[in-house]
Amino acid sequence: MANAKTPDMIYTKVDEAPELASASLLPIIRSFAGAAGIEVETRDISLAGRILSQFPDFLEEDQRIADDLAELGDLVKTPDANVIKLPNISASQPQLDAAIAELQAQGFALPDYPAEASTDAEKDIQARYDRVKGSAVNPVLREGNSDRRAAKAVKEYAKANPHSMGDWASDSKTTVASMSGNDFFANEKSTTITAAQAGGATITFTGEDGSESVLKDGLNFLAGEIVDATFMSASALRDFVRAEIDSMEPGVLFSVHLKATMMKVSDPIIFGHFVSVYLEDFIAKHGDALDWNPNDGIGELENQIAGNAEMEADLKAALAARPDMYMVDSDRGITNLHVPSDVIIDASMPAVIRAGGIGWGPDGKAAPTKCCIPDNCYAGVYDETINYFKANGKLDVTTCGAVSNVGLMAQKAEEYGSHPTTFEASAKGTIAVVLDNGDVLHSHDVDAGDIWRSCTVKKLPIEDWIRLGLRRHKATGTSAFWLDANRAHDAELIKYVEPALKEAGVDIPIMAPREATRFTLENMVEGRDVVTITGNVLRDYLTDLFPILELGTSAKMLSIVSLMQGGGLFETGAGGSAPKHVQQLHGENHLRWDSLGEFCALGESFDFLADKGRSKAGILGKAVAEATQKLLLNGNSPERKVGQNDNRTSHYWFARYWAEALAAQGDDAELAAHFGAIAGEMAAKEDAIIAELMTGQGDAVDLGGYYNGDVDKTAAVMRPSATLNAIIG
């Protein structure tokens, strides 16, 4: 990288719906950018690409691919980085297993994932795969803090064209349930590293017999870095799950809401406890005969016992004896406890709230839901939101203000950087963070099965986050720091925030998440725009919750990461990779993915280049904004059903409006002439292009793979208009 020319713009290759959309949109972007002398390159951060990059020694030479994620990790630490980052899969174990199986079937001689690694070779293979699992991408790329907000055109469109919102009843039985103690919140310890403490550290486990083992070595703490440690009691968690199941009211659905993808060590274990308690009687009878980990969910159990009539009957009876569950897919019988990656809290909870406090039961009917969020660090946000809407009724999206976020996430900040330092206690004992000077920084007495974790946030990202929060507050006027003085970690952060606010002469309230939720809702309902200034997890949660309420989706958010070394990372919204959209494309050749997030990120990326002296990029960026607004106003966005606009037709309209805006501008005659011809041809051939794009809708398609689709087959599906392709190139 040191001697290579930094690419003008990098567009990431990812997974599922956004990657399918890229097959249609990226050729348009490259064509338009190329006319301005701007080269657009791609880098592969897809799940399949990340897997293949880890195993060059198992693959044929022509099958090997570079570790693009590592390259990007270096690039984002430079001032010229300009990366458009689309949503990728944060793989759960079942997703990882499925991707491995698909690649093996395609002729890649990958090893199986060794669930129980005993030899050095198996441990090496497991470690390589574990680098791919969970939130493997974002912590590497996010070398800056997050600024997420709705573009003005998007917000105005949402107000003028309100999406559906479910009605709330004051006596709704939908509730949030959390542990009464002994969770991560209650057990947290935190401190800020002094100059004398800075340096190396180790995480150790000491058994009751005095034996000591090293869980993690090679840690290094900087002066000013906040270091936390905490644990969740497995026995307290299981008692909580039992109590919540036993206290279910008739007609209420049972559910758990976690993030097993991002919190790839802790949350699958928590999920497994819910599964094993829910199926306690079945496991007591058949557990010894099963090679099944409850962390993998009921879906994997069903696969294993398929064809065993006794076990299938017992499982059916065990499920029938328990309260009805919130369903991921009622038609297919996919429950809340089927797959750990299926119920992602920042998507599932906003969906329940937007719908008026309802989920869908096994019978396909709507019902109130008990939402179990075991840990208390952030559960209060959802509890307070539900209580607010019970008291005040649904949100009026035609008048409400916009809620944006400034999130502390740089350099693997807080819990989302805790994967390498999260452990399931193997026995009763003590887990401690020990500094190289011999001081014990934190320690906890744990029982076997307890989930212990440590996380950190460095001084420079904290200071950068506060400055970004102050800038956004100045631009917006109403904001709050979401920090709880009664939580150990937040109390350390407040020691940074309060002096900074005093020095700046700015009065921004510092509020615990529950109170900040109420503050935000009250202000947005009054039509005021609000900035939420939060840590990393709440950045993730709130940039789904409020956009889904305001806009109907979080995929339409503008997400700018101002990299700390001066580069730009432009994320295309917070909407995930939409596997259900892919299912619809496979079955009906209709992709309802909305690329609005890509359009917003693209405009910002061009503006970034313009700030670096590339004047033509600024013209392209301004035209992108005009095209996006026109597409929204004219109703050209994708719709849900076969025969309606989909992702491909929206790309035609975007390209046409983009070309028309470039043809109309007066700052660059060469660009105006070039795109005038393109705009004219696209308009003249509109009927033919639309007809070609709609051809085949309703029919099943073959993309040659789910995680590693065939390039030519995908292009044939996503670029079906020969007329448009000839114009674009």
Side-chain angles (χ1 to χ4, degrees), residues 13-169:
K13 173 179 168 59
V14 288
D15 304 286
E16 297 182 317
E19 181 55 25
L20 293 171
S22 292
S24 168
L25 180 59
L26 187 55
I28 296 169
I29 295 172
R30 280 180 156 154
S31 175
F32 280 54
I38 297 168
E39 187 175 359
V40 181
E41 299 184 11
T42 60
R43 295 293 186 272
D44 190 348
I45 59 171
S46 68
L47 176 56
R50 300 194 320 266
I51 291 171
L52 294 174
S53 73
Q54 295 299 309
F55 292 95
D57 48 326
F58 284 77
L59 304 177
E60 299 295 331
E61 187 171 353
D62 63 350
Q63 294 178 323
R64 297 170 188 166
I65 68 172
D67 188 345
D68 284 356
L69 178 58
E71 179 192 337
L72 288 178
D74 291 333
L75 180 63
V76 294
K77 297 172 184 175
T78 69
D80 294 324
N82 181 19
V83 181
I84 296 177
K85 192 268 175 186
L86 284 71
N88 61 278
I89 290 175
S90 295
S92 64
Q93 189 64 51
Q95 287 173 307
L96 178 62
D97 292 339
I100 294 168
E102 179 178 305
L103 290 166
Q104 289 171 334
Q106 292 174 342
F108 296 94
L110 294 167
D112 291 334
Y113 181 88
E116 300 293 335
S118 55
T119 68
D120 288 345
E122 289 174 338
K123 290 176 182 177
D124 173 61
I125 291 168
Q126 186 184 66
R128 294 197 223 182
Y129 277 129
D130 285 348
R131 287 197 290 270
V132 172
K133 203 163 57 172
S135 181
V137 173
N138 290 337
V140 174
L141 299 186
R142 288 173 170 168
E143 281 290 317
N145 291 310
S146 171
D147 175 6
R148 283 187 175 178
R149 56 188 187 271
K152 184 176 180 180
V154 172
K155 177 63 176 176
E156 292 305 315
Y157 177 81
K159 291 170 74 171
N161 300 271
H163 52 274
S164 63
M165 294 285 285
D167 291 317
W168 275 91

Side-chain angles (χ1 to χ4, degrees), residues 617-640:
I619 295 169
L620 289 177
K622 183 179 179 182
V624 164
E626 293 177 16
T628 302
Q629 186 169 22
K630 193 170 182 180
L631 180 139
L632 288 170
L633 292 174
N634 290 346
N636 301 129
S637 298
E639 299 172 89
R640 299 182 66 85

Side-chain angles (χ1 to χ4, degrees), residues 611-680:
D611 289 341
K612 298 285 185 179
R614 303 289 292 273
S615 59
K616 289 181 183 290
I619 295 169
L620 289 177
K622 183 179 179 182
V624 164
E626 293 177 16
T628 302
Q629 186 169 22
K630 193 170 182 180
L631 180 139
L632 288 170
L633 292 174
N634 290 346
N636 301 129
S637 298
E639 299 172 89
R640 299 182 66 85
K641 297 180 180 179
V642 170
Q644 298 177 321
N645 279 328
D646 82 342
N647 180 262
R648 294 161 290 193
T649 56
S650 76
H651 290 168
Y652 160 73
W653 290 110
F654 172 73
R656 177 170 160 182
Y657 298 149
W658 192 9
E660 290 173 349
L662 288 166
Q665 55 81 30
D667 295 323
D668 189 303
E670 184 180 2
L671 287 178
H674 176 80
F675 286 103
I678 290 175

Side-chain angles (χ1 to χ4, degrees), residues 189 203-209 211-213 215 425 427-434 440 442-447 452:
K189 299 177 181 180
I203 299 173
T204 63
F205 173 76
T206 304
E208 283 190 299
D209 60 359
S211 61
E212 184 173 301
S213 59
L215 298 178
K428 187 178 180 66
T430 302
I431 298 179
V433 180
V434 183
V440 175
H442 300 305
S443 70
H444 293 93
D445 294 332
V446 296
D447 291 320
W452 185 96

Side-chain angles (χ1 to χ4, degrees), residues 302-444:
E302 289 179 338
N303 292 337
Q304 286 202 18
I305 68 173
N308 185 317
E310 179 189 0
M311 285 192 182
E312 288 181 327
D314 285 351
L315 177 59
K316 184 177 181 180
L319 291 171
R322 289 300 204 181
D324 284 344
M325 268 191 276
Y326 170 105
M327 302 296 287
V328 171
D329 190 329
S330 300
D331 293 338
R332 297 167 58 213
I334 307 299
T335 73
N336 177 250
L337 297 179
H338 257 63
V339 182
S341 58
D342 268 356
V343 181
I344 305 302
I345 184 171
D346 48 327
S348 58
M349 285 303 302
V352 169
I353 294 167
R354 176 187 166 182
I358 61 170
W360 301 97
D363 57 2
K365 295 180 180 179
T369 304
K370 176 185 282 190
C371 303
C372 293
I373 305 174
D375 182 50
N376 282 277
C377 287
Y378 309 109
V381 170
Y382 297 112
D383 186 49
E384 188 65 24
T385 303
I386 287 170
N387 291 339
Y388 181 86
F389 288 125
K390 284 182 182 179
N392 297 281
K394 66 182 178 183
L395 182 69
D396 184 349
V397 300
T398 67
T399 60
C400 71
V403 178
S404 58
N405 177 262
V406 170
L408 173 57
M409 70 176 190
Q411 299 180 355
K412 305 178 182 180
E414 302 183 323
E415 295 97 326
Y416 281 177
S418 68
H419 320 313
T421 51
T422 300
F423 307 96
E424 187 174 22
S426 58
K428 187 178 180 66
T430 302
I431 298 179
V433 180
V434 183
L435 303 180
D436 279 0
N437 66 9
D439 291 348
V440 175
L441 192 69
H442 300 305
S443 70
H444 293 93

Side-chain angles (χ1 to χ4, degrees), residues 595-608:
S595 293
L596 189 59
E598 288 96 295
F599 303 156
C600 292
L602 180 65
E604 292 293 327
S605 179
F606 280 129
D607 289 345
F608 173 83

